[in-house]
Amino acid sequence: MLRRQDVGHRVVVRRIVGVSQDRPLFTDALGELVELTETDLTLATAKGTVRVPLKEVHRAKRVPPARRPPAADVVALELAANDGWPAPVQARLGAWILRAADNWTGRANSALAVGDPDRTLEAAIDAVEQWYAARGQQPLINTPMPLAAPVNAALDARGWTARPLTLVQTARVAALVDASPARADLPTVELADSPTDAWFEMVAEHKGTLPATAKRILTGVPDAVFAHVHDAEGELLAVARGAVSGPDRWLGVSLLQTAPAARRRGMGAHVLRALAQWAVQQRSARAYLQVEERNTAAVALYQKMGFSTHHTYLTREGPRQR
């Protein structure tokens, strides 16, 4: 049977789904174990997230991992993503990065658990809890998998919960340019060095009210661009942000949003293509984005454009301070 230290690893689960002629019927699920509780286990499979009650599990075991990027590549991409979404308050805990941004987005308000925290794991978690408590914030830890599997196991033992699984997906910039033809039937994608008030308003519809800290994060990267698409009357139809960061000059795509009236017209791919063309001029060869695995519509769009999952992460939530 599986144990908490198996979280973050690839497993196969044989599940009892019924009985026929007094014999049990089984189905198998293969994927990454993202959560294990006293009653259920949750897998991230190629077809989506699957939650299985433990009482239905006939057999389960860890299996060899699918082909994965080297650990150093995962760390490098996570550090580039940190540079592309810079929390205004950051501190080091060994190689871990503690981040705070007035609670705006999990990325900017969680400890990035990559590398050696320069102390025991239990002491590192204690230090994270103390650091966030001093700021009046709930402690959060970002755990890239499977690198942070030991961290996840330790957090499970301490009663930390998890937010939905996030996929870190990558694609070649050149492939994004070629993935869809130029669309003469759609308005031009305008790329600006700074966002307009209307751009912020559209983002706020999805992300909630944007504090001053949010605007510092969004505009705090030297090589960043803000996509705007307007209709003939000047109404904003779509927005997105592109930021190039890290020694390898990764293009980070974020906040791609389309107004309801402009959906199902290929607007998302249209904007992605424009960001990729800009990134080519910035000497960027690879792109990444972060999307919740449960956001199936977005995942399908990105897959169509050529993105595939590089690695995953969980944002772990510690006990709230009283």
Side-chain angles (χ1 to χ4, degrees):
M1 192 58 186
L2 300 174
R3 298 171 295 175
R4 292 191 184 277
Q5 51 262 48
D6 295 314
V7 171
H9 292 272
R10 193 165 178 249
V11 301
V12 62
V13 175
R14 175 154 290 187
R15 179 181 186 179
I16 302 171
V17 293
V19 177
S20 176
Q21 298 180 349
D22 296 327
R23 292 185 177 182
L25 300 176
F26 303 103
T27 185
D28 291 339
L30 176 67
E32 191 170 84
L33 182 64
V34 297
E35 186 178 18
L36 179 63
T37 70
E38 294 181 356
T39 58
D40 303 270
L41 61 81
T42 304
L43 296 177
T45 74
K47 296 182 179 180
T49 301
V50 177
R51 184 177 294 276
V52 182
L54 294 184
K55 64 183 180 181
E56 297 179 6
V57 176
H58 175 67
R59 189 177 302 164
K61 64 179 181 179
R62 191 189 297 190
V63 296
R67 184 178 180 182
R68 295 182 181 274
D73 288 356
V74 174
V75 172
L77 178 48
E78 285 292 334
L79 294 178
N82 180 68
D83 291 343
W85 197 266
V89 178
Q90 298 194 31
R92 287 281 180 172
L93 188 68
W96 289 18
I97 304 176
L98 309 179
R99 305 174 291 191
D102 295 333
N103 286 313
W104 191 74
T105 74
R107 273 182 280 175
N109 290 276
S110 58
L112 179 57
V114 295
D116 183 359
D118 197 28
R119 64 208 68 202
T120 67
L121 188 50
E122 290 299 327
I125 298 171
D126 288 340
V128 169
E129 291 180 342
Q130 293 163 10
W131 194 83
Y132 284 101
R135 287 158 180 76
Q137 293 187 210
Q138 181 183 20
L140 303 175
I141 298 181
N142 180 307
T143 57
M145 299 192 297
L147 293 182
V151 181
N152 276 320
L155 295 176
D156 285 339
R158 294 170 70 127
W160 285 49
T161 57
R163 293 183 180 179
L165 182 72
T166 296
L167 311 179
V168 180
Q169 300 201 310
T170 61
R172 292 186 303 108
V173 169
L176 297 179
V177 174
D178 297 337
S180 62
R183 294 286 301 271
D185 59 318
L186 292 177
T188 300
V189 180
E190 304 161 26
L191 300 179
D193 292 335
S194 59
T196 62
D197 290 342
W199 191 98
F200 280 126
E201 290 170 5
M202 181 173 279
V203 169
E205 291 174 5
H206 175 65
K207 287 288 189 181
T209 303
L210 301 183
T213 298
K215 297 181 179 181
R216 287 177 61 187
I217 292 172
L218 296 175
T219 60
V221 180
D223 295 326
V225 72
F226 300 86
H228 305 66
V229 182
H230 296 90
D231 65 14
E233 287 71 41
E235 292 296 321
L236 195 58
L237 299 178
V239 299
R241 174 182 180 265
V244 173
S245 62
D248 295 326
R249 299 195 61 76
W250 281 93
L251 166 66
V253 176
S254 60
L255 301 174
L256 176 58
Q257 296 179 56
T258 305
R263 291 171 186 165
R264 301 186 183 280
R265 293 170 50 189
M267 190 69 73
H270 185 54
V271 173
L272 274 172
R273 187 175 189 275
L275 289 178
Q277 289 177 316
W278 169 81
V280 169
Q281 300 172 358
Q282 308 304 312
R283 298 178 290 106
S284 176
R286 293 181 292 175
Y288 75 92
L289 53 81
Q290 298 167 329
V291 57
E292 285 191 2
E293 187 270 343
R294 65 181 179 176
N295 188 351
T296 55
V299 172
L301 167 65
Y302 300 142
Q303 183 178 27
K304 184 178 179 181
M305 289 293 294
F307 280 93
S308 60
T309 299
H310 185 271
H311 65 279
T312 64
Y313 72 77
L314 288 170
T315 298
R316 304 300 305 268
E317 297 183 335
R320 292 185 179 276
Q321 303 300 317
R322 295 182 180 180

